[in-house]
Amino acid sequence: MHYEDILHRVGHFGKYQKLVIVLVSMIEIPTACHFLAQVFLAASTDHWCMVPASQAVNCSRLQLDSVSTCQEAQKNESIPYELDADGNRVYSSCERYSIEEDISENATDVIACDAGWDFDRSRYKSTINEEFNLVCDREDFAGIAQSVWFAGLLTGSLVWGSVGDWLGRRKTFFLSLTLVSISSIVTAFVPSFAAFTTLRFFTAACACGAAFMTFVISLEIVGASKRVLVGTVAAIMFALGYIFLSFFAYFIREWRHLQLAISLPYVVAFLLLLVFPESPRWLISKGRFTEARQIIAKIAKVNGTEVPVSLLENLENFQDNEKDHKPKSFHRTTLLDLFRTPNIRKKTFIIFFAWFVANMAYYGLSLSTSSLGIDDYVAAFVSAALEIPSYLFCWFFMDKCGRRFSLASLFVSGGVLCLITIFVPLESIPDPARFPRVFSACNPDPFLSAVGVGRVVVAMMGKFAISAAFSHIYIYSCELFPTVIRSVGLGASSMAARISGILCPIILILGKYWEPLPLCVFGGGSVLAGLLSLILPETLCRDMPDTVQDGEDAGLGLNLGRCCQKDSLDSNDSKPLDNYLPLSTIEKSRNERAV
């Protein structure tokens, strides 16, 4: 492919690429914070009916100086309760005694909360549940907001993918970053739950676009041997965002302040436009050779290499010769191009299913392993930290064993571990009330209430494999989709994943009727995705396809064995081969197509 030849000549992983990749990948940090933010924004806290002032306990008369002591006395007198297995009182969250005159512990008539609610603010000073009264008959509204978030991701995945292939990577990044900055900051000042949910939808959609463009540009400016490293850097930045969120949430206990704190980094991210380039690969695919030549020259300058005059001249000639064919060669691509040709269509459906299963299994297993029996903030930290070694393992595995075999192995092992979890004895069943909801994509209670310690250990192993598979599929998808439809392909794949995120709550709810159902779906789907992955072509050390025809030709005559040999053009990180003619493959390719 001609771009790979050019890239090798100017340096396929020099100082320029390293600087750009590290800086633009930082956009993943605030994006990750917003992905997990609702765990803390909508944290569940103890609540009970507020009692009208005329019926409140007189704490001064009872000499109850402590607020907590007075609050406990009020609950004892006005809130119905039951005794748990340990003899502790469990107060009703949605009812209170109907008291007309005397406050009596023996009162038996109860009514629904009619004067609002009191909340336990020992851990969280404020949450959206408290401010918007998302309790009792409105307690499902927080889950609805999370489903709306996933709907926003689904919409953004589809929209920004097409925009990225139309306007280019840089302009799309600027547009999506502007919109996500506005929507996320305004969310901190909303007056109602409806406004909060609406703005969260737009934040999800636009954050998706900014993250996509940084990931795509990073892959398109490096050589084949470094693409896994690029994907690993992005995944680790995402995990670091989770870790930073746990620290932010620990020190900022009011939801509006926390929302603002995780949104302001998007404003700082506008500085990335100073280093964010347009993709030379995309410019060439669109016939914009003059702009591509300028960026190629800049890459060579920073990398300490020289761009041969012959390269620039041949590029100009290539531009002139292609003008007559531009309407045919450089037509505007759409989502339909993913399905027009049989080979690309087959790969597209397999990739869609892999994304669907990876997202579903990732969130399902994350929900089970999040019940660590520790503090909310520590649990979030531990859960995020677990992902970093899985991403590093994925990097090593992909480079050593190839893309196809490694993806199949990760999916199958994660699925088998998930299925094994069904048969692990419940040696110790944890109390769901003790465990925080670290991942709030779905309601975990029906699932976690039946998860024992042994199951958590096995599920953690499964999550390790699925996390690695999720990181893997990002990289593999970019290598399989041609340049002209790479952005829209990645966006459509992510859209398939978000559909599984919306279905996740339904799967867990059905687990009430048959406990093994969620694990069967997660595990069975993972195993099937692993087997289907074997049909995909190997891309290790292979040039990424640029045109639709390149993508259609890749993988024809499939050999299920591992047939990957190192490409000598990509064996050195920065030094090009001596006396290498970078455009020879261009001319050869054009002559062959002319024949």
Side-chain angles (χ1 to χ4, degrees):
M1 303 301 172
H2 60 274
Y3 177 72
E4 301 293 343
D5 296 338
I6 297 171
L7 185 62
H8 177 72
R9 192 67 179 88
V10 300
H12 74 271
F13 195 65
K15 294 179 181 179
Y16 182 88
Q17 285 94 336
K18 294 174 183 177
L19 176 64
V20 170
I21 289 168
V22 171
L23 291 178
V24 301
S25 295
M26 289 184 178
I27 197 67
E28 299 285 355
I29 294 177
T31 300
C33 289
H34 283 278
F35 263 74
L36 196 60
Q38 189 155 323
V39 174
F40 300 103
L41 300 179
S44 296
T45 57
D46 290 339
H47 57 275
W48 53 91
C49 294
M50 184 180 293
V51 177
S54 60
Q55 302 175 8
V57 170
N58 191 329
C59 294
S60 299
R61 187 181 64 183
L62 299 176
Q63 298 181 345
L64 301 176
D65 299 329
S66 170
V67 174
S68 60
T69 304
C70 179
Q71 195 175 65
E72 190 67 22
Q74 180 67 72
K75 290 166 61 178
N76 289 339
E77 296 293 338
S78 58
I79 307 298
Y81 65 87
E82 296 179 353
L83 298 178
D84 61 15
D86 298 327
N88 300 318
R89 292 186 177 186
V90 179
Y91 292 98
S92 172
S93 300
C94 303
E95 295 178 329
R96 69 177 182 87
Y97 289 126
S98 176
I99 305 170
E100 298 299 334
E101 297 180 359
D102 297 329
I103 297 176
S104 173
E105 187 174 339
N106 296 323
T108 56
D109 294 336
V110 296
I111 59 173
C113 299
D114 56 351
W117 288 264
D118 269 337
F119 294 88
D120 179 5
R121 292 183 170 85
S122 60
R123 181 179 297 275
Y124 300 98
K125 292 184 178 179
S126 72
T127 66
I128 64 169
N129 293 355
E130 298 174 9
E131 185 163 338
F132 303 133
N133 290 329
L134 306 183
V135 294
C136 297
D137 57 341
R138 289 168 54 89
E139 65 179 350
D140 292 335
F141 282 26
I144 293 174
Q146 189 64 18
S147 294
V148 170
W149 167 268
F150 275 103
L153 293 178
L154 188 152
T155 303
S157 299
L158 181 60
V159 171
W160 293 113
S162 299
V163 174
D165 285 332
W166 173 40
L167 290 180
R169 298 5 178 179
R170 178 181 167 84
K171 290 181 179 179
T172 303
F173 173 76
F174 172 76
L175 179 60
S176 58
L177 181 61
T178 301
L179 295 177
V180 74
S181 300
I182 295 173
S183 63
S184 60
I185 291 175
V186 173
T187 302
F189 304 96
V190 294
S192 66
F193 176 71
F196 171 85
T197 304
T198 301
L199 286 172
R200 285 278 289 174
F201 174 89
F202 285 106
T203 299
C206 299
C208 185
F212 274 172
M213 292 307 106
T214 58
F215 189 75
V216 171
I217 190 65
S218 297
L219 286 180
E220 290 185 341
I221 63 173
V222 301
S225 66
K226 301 301 179 182
R227 292 197 290 258
V228 179
L229 173 60
V230 168
T232 304
V233 169
I236 290 177
M237 289 292 185
F238 200 81
L240 288 176
Y242 281 169
I243 295 175
F244 288 151
L245 176 64
S246 64
F247 285 104
F248 284 143
Y250 180 80
F251 292 104
I252 305 174
R253 304 297 180 97
E254 297 183 2
W255 80 267
R256 292 185 183 274
H257 296 168
L258 177 60
Q259 173 69 24
L260 189 61
I262 63 177
S263 300
L264 291 178
Y266 277 127
V267 178
V268 180
F270 278 96
L271 295 174
L272 295 177
L273 291 171
L274 298 175
V275 297
F276 198 107
E278 185 52 84
S279 168
R281 183 188 293 270
W282 178 82
L283 290 171
I284 292 174
S285 72
K286 295 296 183 180
R288 296 163 58 176
F289 298 100
T290 301
E291 298 171 66
R293 187 179 68 249
Q294 295 174 351
I295 298 176
I296 291 170
K298 184 176 181 180
I299 294 175
K301 180 180 179 180
V302 176
N303 287 349
T305 58
E306 294 183 1
V307 184
V309 176
S310 60
L311 185 151
L312 299 180
E313 291 177 350
N314 287 332
L315 197 58
E316 288 287 354
N317 294 334
F318 183 70
Q319 178 183 11
D320 294 336
N321 293 334
E322 290 292 339
K323 282 183 178 179
D324 296 337
H325 304 283
K326 187 172 181 180
K328 178 179 179 181
S329 302
F330 302 104
H331 69 281
R332 180 177 296 179
T333 56
T334 66
L335 180 65
L336 295 179
D337 287 296
L338 296 172
F339 307 98
R340 292 186 191 278
T341 55
N343 193 27
I344 291 181
R345 181 167 59 245
K346 176 188 68 177
K347 290 184 285 188
T348 296
F349 281 125
I350 295 175
I351 293 171
F352 281 6
F353 184 72
W355 276 74
F356 181 93
V357 172
N359 186 76
M360 177 178 62
Y362 174 82
Y363 279 105
L365 292 176
S366 294
L367 290 171
S368 65
T369 57
S370 64
S371 57
L372 301 178
I374 54 180
D375 181 81
D376 290 21
Y377 308 102
V378 176
F381 175 86
V382 171
S383 181
L386 177 65
E387 296 184 13
I388 294 179
S390 74
Y391 298 146
L392 295 175
F393 173 77
C394 179
W395 174 18
F396 173 82
F397 199 20
M398 290 180 72
D399 273 347
K400 294 299 180 182
C401 300
R403 312 302 199 239
R404 184 174 57 205
F405 175 76
S406 59
L407 181 61
S409 299
L410 291 171
F411 266 129
V412 171
S413 60
V416 169
L417 286 168
C418 199
L419 293 174
I420 290 176
T421 305
I422 300 173
F423 305 100
V424 176
L426 295 176
E427 298 175 355
S428 174
I429 301 178
D431 179 6
R434 294 176 52 206
F435 300 116
R437 297 181 179 182
V438 179
F439 287 83
S440 66
C442 312
N443 181 4
D445 292 344
F447 187 33
L448 293 182
S449 61
V451 177
V453 173
R455 287 190 172 189
V456 171
V457 173
V458 177
M460 286 180 65
M461 298 170 61
K463 186 200 172 186
F464 183 94
I466 294 299
S467 297
F470 213 164
S471 174
H472 186 302
I473 197 63
Y474 268 91
I475 303 166
Y476 201 13
S477 299
C478 284
E479 292 180 335
L480 289 171
F481 288 123
T483 300
V484 293
I485 54 173
R486 181 167 297 122
S487 181
V488 69
L490 190 63
S493 300
S494 181
M495 180 183 68
R498 306 316 164 194
I499 293 175
S500 70
I502 296 173
L503 294 177
C504 189
I506 300 175
I507 296 172
L508 292 181
I509 290 173
L510 293 176
K512 294 179 179 180
Y513 305 101
W514 188 49
E515 181 187 324
L517 178 62
L519 288 172
C520 287
V521 174
F522 301 152
S526 297
V527 172
L528 180 57
L531 296 177
L532 289 175
S533 299
L534 294 173
I535 302 176
L536 296 172
E538 181 57 67
T539 59
L540 176 61
C541 305
R542 305 294 174 86
D543 295 342
M544 289 196 297
D546 286 322
T547 66
V548 172
Q549 186 61 48
D550 293 337
E552 179 65 16
D553 294 340
L556 291 176
L558 180 62
N559 179 6
L560 290 181
R562 181 186 167 224
C563 50
C564 175
Q565 297 179 353
K566 281 287 183 180
D567 187 347
S568 61
L569 299 182
D570 213 20
S571 60
N572 189 291
D573 285 351
S574 59
K575 296 182 180 179
L577 296 178
D578 294 333
N579 302 321
Y580 180 66
L581 299 178
L583 291 182
S584 60
T585 56
I586 301 179
E587 298 170 356
K588 180 179 179 181
S589 176
R590 293 179 59 245
N591 291 335
E592 290 176 350
R593 292 183 183 180
V595 174

